[in-house]
Amino acid sequence: MSPLELPLTFDPRKIHAALHRLDAMDRNNLIWAFFIGASAPAFGSLLSVIVWSTFIWAIMSFLAGRLPVRANRNTVAIVVATFAYAAVKILFTFAHSGLDTWQYWQSLLIFFSPMFFLFRLRLSNRAKMLDSFVLGSGFSTLLAVPHAAYETFWLGRRADTFCGNPGVFAVMALVFGSIGVLNVMSSRNDRRWLGILSYFAMVFCVFASGLRTAWVMLPFVSAIILWAVGPTMPKRLFRRGLALSLAAVLLGVSFASAPLIQRVEMFEDDIANIRQSGDYQSSTGLRLLMYQGAWRAIEAAPLAGYGLAGRMNAVRQNLPQEWRRIPFTHPHNGFLAALLDAGAAGLVVLMVVLAAPVWIAAVAPRDAAWRLRMAIGVSLTASYVITGMTGIIFEHDIMDSAFVITLVILAASANPDEDDRLEKSQE
């Protein structure tokens, strides 16, 4: 039986009738999950607005006694992992720079939200909620394509839609696009077509972003999707899907081959200039200098770090005097950033929270949705890790909100619904 059975319809009367049959909690969570999946990357920070609004509402509901405190292994593990990540970063920043550094750590507060979200989501049908999330994600990159095409072909720049940054746009396209493709696991033909269209939209958006590490991720994400959908699809349809995915990647490669070759040649020229004349003025040279300064700073304080507010000053202090005005505001490597922020402890909590989606999906019951959850978890973690090698991992409102809320939905759906429905009936 397919884990994705919600119908795809645009008839308001049918949608209203289907939602009207549900109780208020199930209905609200179903609508919420759909819009969470559909909002990024097309509408940028709308995702953060939805997540933060519901976070505040969940706190108010908890304080009002409307959310009973019920926890299981998955709930505790996710809450501890996210809480530890935010707490370590904030405490090290306080220790190094004092309490008036809120502008550096305020975005981290969303990592304290899983407890409140999970208390709420445990009161509803989590299988349908996951289904609704995947359905909404099917529209995510489709909605982004028109604006991304306008930016790419008309304005002649890297697409970022309303994300404000091409790198963030690329990661959101990878994460929610890959989740949207999983609609092909549905037994409904219309949702399978939604998944297919979502795949082509994801490939276009990723290439239009110009983020080369995201380009590298496309074959890997495609392999994860094929692994997930293989057992649920007829062999003939699976072979067609494999051919279409290869065609889409090859088309994207041909689209990106010229700028990629140009970038490789530019990189070779930059390295040659550095070796021959010590010229670090290029983007490549400045990044290499920054990495050197970051590593020297880490070697000087491997346990203490420097806090969020002090990390770039520490990097600049470990550069030659003439290069201390490098224009970067972050280390362009999420793992170096973690070490600079909180030393070895920062790296440990970062690795734990990044591993959480894969772990929570792996230990879930081997039900019909197990491969679906594994595909979501692996794609989420891999997208953040690979793109974070040359950019940010967290510390951006969209990146933080997307990771946390996808992790929460995975954790909430990782247990059978029967236990919670029985608990609800006994209240």
Side-chain angles (χ1 to χ4, degrees):
M1 180 179 177
S2 171
L4 304 176
E5 291 300 327
L6 288 178
L8 173 60
T9 179
F10 299 96
D11 187 338
R13 292 171 298 179
K14 291 182 179 180
I15 296 172
H16 179 268
L19 292 174
H20 186 70
R21 290 194 295 267
L22 303 174
D23 64 46
M25 183 70 77
D26 277 342
R27 181 170 58 250
N28 292 341
N29 285 342
L30 213 63
I31 296 170
W32 171 83
F34 178 87
F35 282 106
I36 287 290
S39 58
F43 303 108
S45 290
L46 176 62
L47 173 66
S48 302
V49 172
I50 296 173
V51 173
W52 271 96
S53 299
T54 47
F55 174 28
I56 295 170
W57 183 255
I59 293 174
M60 294 170 61
S61 298
F62 175 76
L63 295 176
R66 295 173 56 194
L67 302 181
V69 179
R70 296 195 182 112
N72 56 29
R73 179 181 63 176
N74 294 341
T75 303
V76 172
I78 294 307
V79 169
V80 169
T82 55
F83 184 94
Y85 172 76
V88 166
K89 300 268 274 192
I90 292 173
L91 288 174
F92 273 74
T93 301
F94 284 171
H96 287 287
S97 306
L99 301 178
D100 59 344
T101 53
W102 65 271
Q103 68 270 28
Y104 292 97
W105 52 261
Q106 58 180 330
S107 65
L108 292 171
L109 296 177
I110 198 64
F111 286 90
F112 296 122
S113 68
M115 177 178 72
F116 301 99
F117 279 125
L118 288 168
F119 287 160
R120 176 183 175 85
L121 297 181
R122 281 175 61 85
L123 298 177
S124 63
N125 187 313
R126 277 104 23 95
K128 286 185 178 179
M129 181 192 61
L130 179 64
D131 193 350
S132 182
F133 175 62
V134 174
L135 178 59
S137 298
F139 294 94
S140 60
T141 49
L142 288 173
L143 292 170
V145 163
H147 195 186
Y150 168 73
E151 290 182 296
T152 303
F153 299 118
W154 185 262
L155 299 181
R157 69 187 190 196
R158 295 170 61 188
D160 63 11
T161 64
F162 296 103
C163 293
N165 182 294
V168 175
F169 172 72
V171 178
M172 294 301 99
L174 273 175
V175 170
F176 290 103
S178 62
I179 297 172
V181 179
L182 295 172
N183 279 286
V184 298
M185 296 179 70
S186 176
S187 59
R188 298 176 179 272
N189 285 333
D190 50 5
R191 287 193 62 174
R192 285 181 172 177
W193 277 108
L194 176 65
I196 292 170
L197 292 174
S198 182
Y199 181 81
F200 285 101
M202 174 187 70
V203 172
F204 174 78
C205 288
V206 168
F207 278 108
S209 74
L211 187 68
R212 290 172 291 277
T213 49
W215 297 355
V216 172
M217 275 295 300
L218 280 174
F220 181 69
V221 167
S222 301
I224 295 170
I225 294 167
L226 290 170
W227 170 82
V229 306
T232 67
M233 297 181 67
K235 289 185 178 179
R236 185 176 64 177
L237 192 59
F238 178 78
R239 287 194 293 268
R240 289 179 180 177
L242 178 60
L244 283 172
S245 64
L246 289 174
V249 171
L250 290 174
L251 185 64
V253 169
S254 64
F255 169 76
S257 58
L260 185 60
I261 293 172
Q262 183 181 12
R263 180 57 185 160
V264 170
E265 293 174 348
M266 187 184 302
F267 178 78
E268 291 175 346
D269 292 341
D270 292 344
I271 296 298
N273 289 334
I274 291 170
R275 288 177 174 175
Q276 294 171 8
S277 59
D279 181 8
Y280 286 90
Q281 289 288 356
S282 64
S283 174
T284 302
L286 290 174
R287 284 203 183 199
L288 289 175
L289 271 177
M290 181 177 60
Y291 290 153
Q292 292 173 14
W295 190 248
R296 289 170 187 156
I298 291 166
E299 289 180 326
L303 298 179
Y306 301 91
L308 286 160
R311 67 180 178 198
M312 290 309 295
N313 285 335
V315 171
R316 292 185 178 93
Q317 290 302 315
N318 282 277
L319 292 175
Q321 184 68 40
E322 65 272 20
W323 298 109
R324 288 185 180 178
R325 292 187 178 182
I326 54 173
F328 301 116
T329 57
H330 61 90
H332 282 269
N333 182 293
F335 299 97
L336 285 179
L339 286 164
L340 288 165
D341 293 342
L347 181 62
V348 169
V349 293
L350 174 64
M351 294 176 69
V352 168
V353 81
L354 286 172
V358 179
W359 177 83
I360 204 70
V363 301
R366 294 286 184 117
D367 55 14
W370 186 80
R371 280 180 177 259
L372 173 67
R373 286 189 294 262
M374 277 298 298
I376 294 173
V378 174
S379 295
L380 177 65
T381 294
S383 296
Y384 274 68
V385 168
I386 300 302
T387 59
M389 294 290 188
T390 58
I392 61 172
I393 294 180
F394 297 127
E395 300 164 34
H396 187 285
D397 68 298
I398 302 174
M399 298 282 285
D400 295 351
S401 297
F403 185 91
V404 169
I405 209 62
T406 305
L407 175 59
V408 163
I409 291 173
L410 277 177
S413 68
N415 289 287
D417 288 314
E418 288 76 12
D419 293 340
D420 286 349
R421 287 203 292 268
L422 177 61
E423 291 174 355
K424 285 176 66 179
S425 67
Q426 293 174 345
E427 290 181 2

